[in-house]
Amino acid sequence: MAQSSSPVALPSHPRPIHYQRELNPAQYRAVTTLEGPVLVIAGAGSGKTRTLVYRLAYLVDQGVDPGQILLLTFTRKAAREMLTRAAELLQRPLTQVMGGTFHSVCYHWLRRYGQLLGYPEGFTVMDRADQEHLLSLLKEQLGLKATGTPFPRKETLADIISGTANKNLSLEGLLAREYPQFLEQLPHLERLFVAYQGEKTRLGLMDYDDLLVNGRRLLAEHEGVRRQLSERYRFIMVDEYQDTNRLQAELVRLLAYTHTNVMAVGDDCQSIYSFRGADFRNIMDFPRLFPGTRIIKLEENYRSTQPILDVANAIIAGAREKYTKCLFSRRREGQRPVLFQTGSENEQSRLVVAKVQELRRQGLPLSRMAVLFRAAFHSFDLEIELVRAGLPFMKFGGFKFMESAHIKDLLAYLRVVANPRDKLSWNRLLLLLPGIGRQTAAKFTDRMGPDFTLDDALTWLAGRRQAALKELAATLASLKDPGQTLISRLNLALAHYEPLLRSRFDDFPKRLRDLEHLVTITARYEELNAFLNDLTLDPPAGLADVTAPTHDYLTLSTIHSAKGLEWEVVFIIWAAEGRFPAYYALNSLEEEEEERRLMYVAATRAKDRLFILYPALSYTKSMGMTFNEPSRFLAEVPKSLLVPLRAEIREG
């Protein structure tokens, strides 16, 4: 927990802070409004952190005891940065300010008052590995490793427990929404979770989510503690309030027991983490929970040009529920964002590569450009093209294409057909099969000589007594047929692999979407070896070790991982109906609205140039070749704000 800033030497004559001169009018109102509840709606790039830093300084300048200030953030780094900057402004240390994450602040309170909940003073907080180990032990003790049907692995069990705490859902409700494949295990899971709670209490243990759960219990069940902490922290500030879950919002409400001096800072239009438990309703309902709330909107953007902001404003204008605001910039001039329609996904990828190379030749480093996408698999084809072009990149969020176990599994089917002496792929393939162990796999691979053929392999596999080996032989025989197209081969392999995928990975629905997209990538290849060679081109040397921020690489990122970041040039790919928004996200108005906010977040990452792309044609396993329309969120943008272009990218 960042409870203090770094010590700052006390000057003999601290300079006065000219708040009104150093802040814009909206920031100044937010900084100088001290009493009562305040909701600061901070638009993208509007100086949210600066506002919080100056408010910390202003409180102290007005004579507030630093020990009466509580700053709640989502990372320790954010708390440290704000406290350090405020201390530098004031030119005095702020060691008494309590600043940190919700979890770290609750930990601090539970260390002092945990006995009231039955915990010893020296309770232990388990890390994720400890939690998974305990769940695995209990699963074994309860005999749940042999239930006869798929049972969640320890990692998934930990995710389920965390989900019930953070998403305000019952166990059954969470399973129905996110893990329907385990609903039939509900009675067993209930037994396991009761045992888990009991064992934690018996051993004096808490997991990470217990810090919030028990922090809330402490305040809700013990009026004396609630009053004492509320009286101590007379001024509460919460950063990124749109990302709070129900537990965190309840903690804030309970802390305001003896006063209402709560400032919540956030942007409803950037509420995009519902999958982690963030509740959009928290920021929308703040004025109802805190009557008399003053709402202050920060609308001046210090990041982007006005043409980019015009598009972002138009995207979010269609939101059904929001705090209406209109971002504006003093950077009035700039190029209009471009909406590219390409012929295919691969043309989309090659267009991005060509534009990146062009901008690089003009002197813009790769590190100042980013490609953003809704889902991790949307960048798979682009990753292939970047490797072919020798452009270094780093991917943030989701699986990196060629490092994913399920991608390697499926490709193993094709590799052994292309090269029957590929011992590594055979070994991977055989060990996927139920009942086949390393000894059987070794017996098979030991037979491989320089003249070993696929027919030799099929004869051996078909002659075994294990049904799994016979089924594999039948699948590979179909793949061998020279009349099969590459797409049909991959679909045959996927049909055999899908049941294995379901038994191997608890998150198989997500991985299955990756594999179905891999099938779409094969649509532009006619020959198996050309496809496999493109996938196995060596990445740029040392790419895996690229971590230094000074290294020049292109950023590929899911939009969720890009929030809070910015680049001079941003490409948004796959901005098509069914991909962004995703079809599965159109099941409810809430999910569709979050997709809109994701598009808004993506657009507001760009400082100077914004390129939005989608392919006119694409292939999907379920629907075959389909025509794509631009995302509904772009269809609502006035035509005058976007430059529409049809791109034709040809080889060579």
Side-chain angles (χ1 to χ4, degrees):
M1 175 171 57
Q3 191 169 352
S4 65
S5 59
S6 302
V8 177
L10 288 172
S12 54
H13 299 288
R15 73 168 183 86
I17 303 170
H18 300 287
Y19 292 95
Q20 196 158 8
R21 191 171 69 197
E22 296 176 28
L23 300 165
N24 69 37
Q27 291 172 337
Y28 180 72
R29 284 198 305 277
V31 164
T32 57
T33 303
L34 302 186
E35 299 291 331
V38 181
L39 178 61
V40 178
I41 300 299
S46 63
K48 168 182 68 69
T49 300
R50 180 180 182 83
T51 302
L52 282 164
V53 167
Y54 271 78
R55 190 171 194 265
L56 278 168
Y58 189 78
L59 283 166
V60 176
D61 255 355
Q62 295 301 301
V64 173
D65 179 351
Q68 291 188 311
I69 301 171
L70 173 63
L71 172 65
L72 292 167
T73 62
F74 275 83
T75 66
R76 287 178 294 178
K77 179 183 175 184
R80 281 195 301 268
E81 178 190 346
M82 289 182 204
L83 289 167
T84 299
R85 285 174 57 182
E88 289 169 351
L89 264 182
L90 289 165
Q91 297 183 296
R92 57 166 285 185
L94 293 177
T95 53
Q96 292 175 289
V97 173
M98 173 70 80
T101 65
F102 281 89
H103 291 85
S104 64
V105 168
C106 285
Y107 174 79
H108 179 79
W109 297 336
L110 290 165
R111 275 288 179 214
R112 183 173 179 184
Y113 302 109
Q115 300 96 315
L116 296 173
L117 302 179
Y119 281 90
E121 187 175 344
F123 70 84
T124 301
V125 179
M126 296 183 289
D127 62 19
R128 180 63 179 239
D130 292 334
Q131 182 186 20
E132 291 175 3
H133 181 62
L134 177 57
L135 285 165
S136 186
L137 287 175
L138 292 171
K139 180 177 166 183
E140 189 166 353
Q141 288 173 16
L142 294 171
L144 299 177
K145 289 200 169 183
T147 60
T149 53
F151 197 85
R153 290 166 173 78
K154 60 184 180 181
E155 300 85 0
T156 306
L157 289 170
D159 286 340
I160 292 171
I161 287 174
S162 181
T164 59
N166 288 301
K167 299 178 184 180
N168 197 38
L169 290 170
S170 66
L171 176 56
E172 183 175 9
L174 184 78
L175 292 177
R177 193 167 84 173
E178 299 183 18
Y179 302 92
Q181 67 269 34
F182 297 126
L183 264 174
E184 63 185 288
Q185 297 286 4
L186 179 60
H188 297 308
L189 287 169
E190 287 174 337
R191 284 175 57 215
L192 176 62
F193 286 9
V194 167
Y196 175 67
Q197 298 299 340
E199 195 72 353
K200 284 189 298 179
T201 302
R202 187 177 74 83
L203 298 175
L205 301 172
M206 289 190 204
D207 60 37
Y208 189 62
D209 297 306
D210 286 331
L211 295 173
L212 294 186
V213 172
N214 289 324
R216 181 203 159 281
R217 275 186 60 206
L218 181 68
L219 296 181
E221 297 174 10
H222 296 276
E223 195 267 349
V225 175
R226 182 166 73 248
R227 179 178 297 278
Q228 184 178 344
L229 291 176
S230 180
E231 287 177 347
R232 175 173 180 181
Y233 301 116
R234 298 286 302 169
F235 295 91
I236 301 168
M237 289 187 286
V238 189
D239 188 23
E240 302 284 15
Y241 193 75
Q242 79 281 348
D243 293 337
T244 55
N245 60 31
R246 286 291 180 88
L247 275 172
Q248 290 160 333
E250 181 71 1
L251 281 165
V252 174
R253 189 185 66 79
L254 289 166
L255 279 171
Y257 184 53
T258 62
H259 62 85
T260 57
N261 300 330
V262 177
M263 173 181 277
V265 181
D267 184 3
D268 54 301
C269 296
Q270 296 187 70
S271 179
I272 60 173
Y273 294 118
S274 64
F275 69 95
R276 292 182 188 166
D279 193 333
F280 176 70
R281 295 259 38 100
N282 288 346
I283 195 165
M284 300 310 297
D285 292 344
F286 186 89
R288 181 178 62 80
L289 291 174
F290 293 94
T293 293
R294 275 167 283 191
I295 299 174
I296 300 170
K297 298 174 184 177
L298 306 185
E299 298 173 287
E300 183 172 355
N301 176 285
Y302 295 92
R303 174 187 299 151
S304 308
T305 63
Q306 192 61 48
I308 291 172
L309 296 181
D310 288 341
V311 170
N313 287 332
I315 288 169
I316 207 64
R320 290 178 173 85
E321 189 175 8
K322 62 183 180 295
Y323 289 102
T324 302
K325 61 181 177 298
C326 187
L327 296 180
F328 67 92
S329 172
R330 297 183 191 184
R331 300 178 64 201
R332 306 299 300 176
E333 304 302 319
Q335 298 188 47
R336 281 187 296 161
V338 178
L339 176 62
F340 279 113
Q341 181 196 71
T342 64
S344 66
E345 178 182 18
N346 185 242
E347 287 187 12
Q348 173 182 253
S349 300
R350 286 188 283 135
L351 177 59
V352 170
V353 169
K355 294 298 291 184
V356 167
Q357 289 172 324
E358 177 188 335
L359 290 163
R360 195 185 196 190
R361 285 193 297 271
Q362 292 172 2
L364 187 67
L366 292 176
S367 59
R368 288 155 68 179
M369 296 182 263
V371 183
L372 307 183
F373 31 86
R374 171 63 185 87
F377 68 82
H378 288 171
S379 71
F380 285 176
D381 189 76
L382 176 60
E383 291 173 49
I384 296 171
E385 290 301 323
L386 288 169
V387 171
R388 290 178 72 179
L391 289 171
F393 66 90
M394 287 288 284
K395 183 174 180 178
F396 300 88
F399 300 111
K400 201 170 193 177
F401 182 43
M402 285 307 296
E403 294 174 3
S404 309
H406 53 299
I407 298 288
K408 290 182 176 180
D409 289 347
L410 188 63
L411 291 177
Y413 290 85
L414 301 185
R415 292 189 194 282
V416 299
V417 171
N419 175 15
R421 294 187 300 280
D422 184 344
K423 186 175 288 191
L424 291 176
S425 292
W426 274 115
N427 196 60
R428 184 179 197 96
L429 201 52
L430 292 169
L431 292 178
L432 289 174
L433 304 178
I436 305 302
R438 297 191 179 279
Q439 191 173 356
T440 301
K443 279 183 184 177
F444 174 81
T445 54
D446 286 347
R447 298 174 58 83
M448 291 182 181
D451 300 321
F452 189 78
T453 67
L454 187 59
D455 285 334
D456 295 332
L458 297 180
T459 300
W460 190 89
L461 293 170
R464 299 300 98 184
R465 58 182 176 79
Q466 294 100 323
L469 294 175
K470 294 180 186 292
E471 290 169 8
L472 176 62
T475 297
L476 294 176
S478 299
L479 292 178
K480 177 190 172 189
D481 181 356
Q484 297 279 3
T485 65
L486 185 53
I487 284 182
S488 63
R489 282 175 165 174
L490 208 56
N491 276 324
L492 282 168
L494 183 55
H496 182 271
Y497 178 57
E498 184 174 337
L500 303 174
L501 174 81
R502 289 173 180 270
S503 64
R504 191 175 180 204
F505 299 106
D506 289 347
D507 62 346
F508 69 82
K510 179 179 179 182
R511 293 177 187 258
L512 186 57
R513 286 197 295 272
D514 289 351
L515 295 174
E516 289 177 348
H517 193 72
L518 175 59
V519 175
T520 74
I521 292 174
T522 66
R524 63 187 168 95
Y525 291 89
E526 294 181 3
E527 205 269 317
L528 174 59
N529 282 318
F531 172 63
L532 292 174
N533 287 341
D534 269 5
L535 296 189
T536 53
L537 285 171
D538 289 332
L543 179 59
D545 299 323
V546 174
T547 54
T550 55
H551 193 100
D552 194 31
Y553 60 82
L554 178 69
T555 293
L556 307 188
S557 179
T558 61
I559 299 164
H560 287 104
S561 296
K563 184 174 173 289
L565 303 176
E566 60 184 40
W567 295 269
E568 271 81 353
V569 176
V570 167
F571 299 85
I572 304 173
I573 60 173
W574 271 114
E577 278 292 291
R579 300 301 181 100
F580 194 174
Y583 282 127
Y584 64 83
L586 300 178
N587 297 325
S588 71
L589 289 177
E590 290 79 10
E591 290 184 43
E592 181 182 340
E593 287 294 275
E594 184 156 323
E595 294 284 300
R596 180 187 297 278
R597 297 193 293 269
L598 272 169
M599 183 70 82
Y600 171 84
V601 168
T604 53
R605 301 309 95 199
K607 297 168 72 173
D608 301 324
R609 302 289 302 278
L610 176 62
F611 299 99
I612 307 173
L613 303 92
Y614 73 97
L617 284 170
S618 61
Y619 175 86
T620 61
K621 183 174 181 289
S622 59
M623 301 171 65
M625 197 63 71
T626 57
F627 290 94
N628 296 317
E629 295 291 333
S631 168
R632 64 187 62 192
F633 309 133
L634 298 174
E636 298 168 3
V637 175
K639 289 182 171 54
S640 61
L641 301 183
L642 286 167
V643 178
L645 292 176
R646 280 189 172 84
E648 293 186 9
I649 305 296
R650 303 188 187 281
E651 293 285 1

